[in-house]
């Protein structure tokens, strides 16, 4: 099991792979610092290393999933930026948003994608785009998918945020979905 927390929860019982990088709880419409970009690259590297560790341990399948608490908005941003889909088609109620909450979520996704993924940026800089629109969880999962492709281990994708990370991994390393 690989834990990629966005808050410092530390591995208290020692049964999880990975390590804490830094707290990352940001306003999606705010500036991402250089340090946060460096931390994001560290999280991607950890995802790739997790796939290598699985391979070295003789594992023949990797499952990628998430808790999905408050991150379906960032997942929607990544999907919209990388696919050109409309927020209205991608956003759902997540953990139970009412009509007003869903309207606001779609508005935030539209604003964030317009700000951080102007025409052509997502294709030319998928990592930077995703760094601005999401966080350690999605970029770490994308690293795991890339590592799984590199080490030829099939992956089971479970959940909306995991799907956004799979789309991101293909944008970062074309062919990942087929390898």
């Amino acid at each position: 099991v690989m834990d990629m927390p966005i808050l410092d929860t530390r591995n208290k019982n020692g049964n999880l792979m990975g390590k804490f990088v830094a707290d990352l709880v940001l306003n999606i419409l705010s500036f991402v610092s250089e340090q946060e970009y460096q931390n994001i690259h560290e999280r991607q590297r950890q995802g790739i290393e997790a796939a290598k560790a699985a391979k070295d341990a003789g594992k023949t399948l990797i499952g990628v999933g998430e808790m999905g608490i408050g991150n379906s908005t960032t997942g929607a941003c990544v999907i919209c930026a990388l696919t050109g889909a409309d927020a209205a088609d991608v956003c759902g109620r997540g953990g139970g948003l009412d009509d007003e909450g869903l309207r606001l979520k779609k508005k935030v996704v539209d604003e964030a994608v317009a700000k951080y993924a102007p025409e052509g940026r997502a294709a030319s800089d998928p990592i930077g785009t995703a760094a601005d629109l999401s966080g350690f969880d999605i970029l770490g999962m994308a690293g795991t998918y890339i590592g799984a492709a590199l080490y030829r281990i099939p992956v089971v994708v479970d959940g909306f945020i995991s799907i956004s990370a799979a789309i991101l991994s293909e944008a970062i390393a074309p062919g990942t979905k087929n390898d």
Side-chain angles (χ1 to χ4, degrees):
V1 175
M2 176 77 170
D3 184 19
M4 294 191 170
I6 59 172
L7 292 175
D8 186 0
T9 56
R10 305 291 162 129
N11 184 8
K12 299 198 177 24
N13 57 10
N15 65 351
L16 302 174
M17 292 174 53
K19 64 180 183 185
F20 175 72
V21 174
D23 283 338
L24 184 61
V25 178
L26 304 171
N27 177 335
I28 197 167
L29 296 176
S30 69
F31 175 73
V32 177
S33 73
E34 184 60 35
Q35 180 61 50
E36 288 158 344
Y37 278 116
Q38 291 172 9
N39 292 340
I40 285 165
H41 288 290
E42 170 64 15
R43 186 58 83 194
Q44 276 187 285
R45 186 187 62 72
Q46 285 182 357
I48 294 168
E49 287 177 357
K52 182 179 186 319
K55 175 75 170 183
D56 291 348
K59 304 302 181 193
T60 58
L61 184 67
I62 294 174
V64 176
E66 80 288 322
M67 286 179 35
I69 299 173
N71 54 359
S72 64
T73 301
T74 58
C77 287
V78 169
I79 291 170
C80 289
L82 295 174
T83 68
D86 291 327
D89 295 328
V90 175
C91 291
R93 294 187 183 277
L97 292 175
D98 61 15
D99 289 345
E100 177 59 20
L102 181 58
R103 185 196 65 72
L104 181 58
K105 180 178 184 176
K106 291 174 187 176
K107 179 178 184 275
V108 167
V109 170
D110 282 337
E111 288 177 13
V113 171
K115 181 174 182 177
Y116 294 116
E119 193 69 34
R121 179 175 184 225
S124 66
D125 183 16
I127 295 172
T129 300
D132 286 332
L133 293 172
S134 66
F136 294 156
D137 51 352
I138 292 173
L139 283 138
M141 286 186 276
T144 302
Y145 294 129
I146 292 166
L150 178 67
Y151 295 108
R152 313 290 296 162
I153 305 170
V155 178
V156 174
V157 180
D158 180 24
F160 181 75
I161 293 88
S162 298
I163 291 168
S164 72
I167 292 168
L168 174 60
S169 70
E170 181 63 22
I172 294 167
T176 296
K177 68 180 178 181
N178 297 321
D179 287 337

